[in-house]
Amino acid sequence: MFPLLVLFAADTGDCFEAVRTLSAGAPIRAEDVMAVACDGKRDAVAVRYDRSARAALPVAAVPTGGYLGRISVLPSGAVVKGERLTLRSSAGPVVIEREVTALQSGRSGERIFVQDANGAVFAAALLLSPGAAQ
């Protein structure tokens, strides 16, 4: 019989604090937080994890400086299901833009399914410009 080994990651500051006010129910993104040392004396705000969005969502609004504790944040360049995006299509000098809704979460460089205002569903390459997912 083998002994039970339990490994704990070193505390590398994987706790977070809000750098701006966060809206209730909005995905928490990397640009919304800063890493801080974990502090068991501070109460972390309540968050829930949305599996389909692959993101942590605050239950209530979080003020700047609010302690979030250990959570998983969306990396920069990610969108979540239900997010409104602008689809840009170009052919030569012609550029057409229209609003679409992401039907799944994804990261820049991936293909995701989106739906336009007419209800058409199709796959599109997700290429986010800097600051687009804020």
Side-chain angles (χ1 to χ4, degrees), residues 4-16:
L4 176 63
L5 298 176
V6 180
L7 301 175
F8 293 95
D11 189 357
T12 57
D14 54 352
C15 290
F16 295 95

Side-chain angles (χ1 to χ4, degrees), residues 28-31 54 73-79 107 133:
I28 301 172
R29 301 178 187 283
E31 51 272 2
R54 297 186 283 181
V73 297
L74 275 175
S76 296
V79 297
R107 294 185 178 152

